Amino acid sequence: MFKFKAFRAIDEPGRCEKFVKGHADVLKQYGVTKVTSSNNDWILNPFVYVVTVELEDTGEVVSGLRIHIAHPDYPLPMEMAVSQVDHKIFDLVKGYSIKGTGEVSGLWNSKSISGYGVGAVLLIRAGIAIVTQLKLGSLLALVAEYTLKPSLQKGFEIEEGIGNSGTFFYPKLDLVATSIVMKDPDGLPNADPNERKIIQDLRNNLQCVKTEVGPKGEFLVEYDLLLLNPDWRKDV
């Protein structure tokens, strides 16, 4: 069984360390040894929230993502990455920050669980599901080609205001990344109706056990998406 756990980074240093190790191992497997979003300073950032996926029997973290909330003292990973080629990213984030915005970052999936649909499907759903607790007006991301389609199905749209109509070569010149934005993470008006229903169901049942279905068949998932410290604004 997979266990999904949502938490504020500074509250769970042990889980963060497992996230860092797993993410680094996956990046190495793909030949990426240096990437802005893999900077580990986020562990001490009070404006970062994390969702990890653990194997119940071993406690190993095999997948995860982070949500970085925009703050003047803590630039978003995509601000640091995109600013190398397009400085408009700063004004873009500043505009979205008026109503509170965050970035989905550091999404990774161990090859040992490939084929289940955990990372590109279930994990993105979980990340979107916790956004209502954070009361964010929008959500940003810089995604690889393989996560673009599932992200659009869940209510994101391409943010064409930066880069080449939203696309970049990152983190290597032979890899294409696309900037995307979700402008109404509460209502999810652009999401596929089935995806919207699944995400809303998760929001209504933040702590539950569900049978999920992926390419490899059915499997159990225990969700614990209730954030103990969701009020990031008190630290602004």
Side-chain angles (χ1 to χ4, degrees):
M1 182 163 67
F2 296 106
K3 299 179 70 172
F4 282 58
K5 173 69 176 176
F7 56 93
R8 185 175 62 169
I10 60 174
D11 296 335
E12 298 268 6
R15 275 197 171 94
C16 289
E17 290 294 341
K18 289 182 179 180
F19 182 112
V20 167
K21 182 182 183 304
H23 192 194
D25 289 345
V26 169
L27 289 173
K28 287 176 185 175
Q29 290 172 4
Y30 287 98
V32 179
T33 56
K34 184 174 179 59
V35 59
T36 305
S37 62
S38 67
N39 184 312
N40 299 328
D41 291 346
W42 60 266
I43 293 176
L44 303 176
N45 183 341
F47 302 101
V48 171
Y49 291 81
V50 186
V51 182
T52 54
V53 182
E54 300 178 6
L55 297 179
E56 182 190 35
D57 53 348
T58 65
E60 179 189 359
V61 173
V62 291
S63 187
L65 62 72
R66 309 188 304 269
I67 293 179
H68 290 238
I69 295 172
H71 184 278
D73 295 337
Y74 298 91
L76 297 179
M78 68 184 298
E79 287 184 275
M80 304 302 292
V82 173
S83 64
Q84 299 174 32
V85 293
D86 192 342
H87 282 277
K88 293 197 296 291
I89 182 64
F90 295 119
D91 286 338
L92 184 81
V93 171
K94 187 175 181 180
Y96 284 123
S97 296
I98 295 172
K99 295 183 178 179
T101 194
E103 177 192 350
V104 180
S105 178
L107 172 65
W108 63 276
N109 201 56
S110 171
K111 284 187 175 181
S112 66
I113 62 166
S114 62
Y116 283 95
V118 168
V121 180
L122 303 187
L123 191 56
I124 296 175
R125 285 176 184 159
I128 297 169
I130 70 170
V131 171
T132 47
Q133 297 177 74
L134 299 172
K135 296 180 171 59
L136 296 178
S138 59
L139 198 58
L140 297 159
L142 193 62
V143 297
E145 290 177 283
Y146 71 94
T147 50
L148 178 58
K149 183 178 178 180
S151 297
L152 297 179
Q153 290 173 336
K154 292 168 181 61
F156 282 94
E157 59 188 89
I158 295 175
E159 172 52 72
E160 298 184 349
I162 52 176
N164 181 15
S165 296
T167 61
F168 304 86
F169 290 109
Y170 176 82
K172 299 195 301 181
L173 287 178
D174 58 344
L175 296 176
V176 177
T178 303
S179 59
I180 56 176
V181 61
M182 181 180 288
K183 295 180 179 178
D184 184 0
D186 286 352
L188 302 172
N190 296 325
D192 175 272
N194 186 55
E195 289 289 343
R196 185 187 307 117
K197 182 182 185 302
I198 293 171
I199 293 168
Q200 298 291 19
D201 284 347
L202 273 179
R203 288 174 173 171
N204 293 330
N205 300 279
L206 293 168
Q207 295 172 305
C208 65
V209 176
K210 292 180 62 178
T211 299
E212 300 286 9
V213 181
K216 291 189 174 181
E218 294 185 349
F219 53 94
L220 280 178
V221 175
E222 178 184 330
Y223 290 97
D224 184 1
L225 304 180
L226 182 64
L227 294 171
L228 300 181
N229 292 291
D231 188 11
W232 56 273
R233 285 177 173 81
K234 70 179 186 298
D235 295 318
V236 173

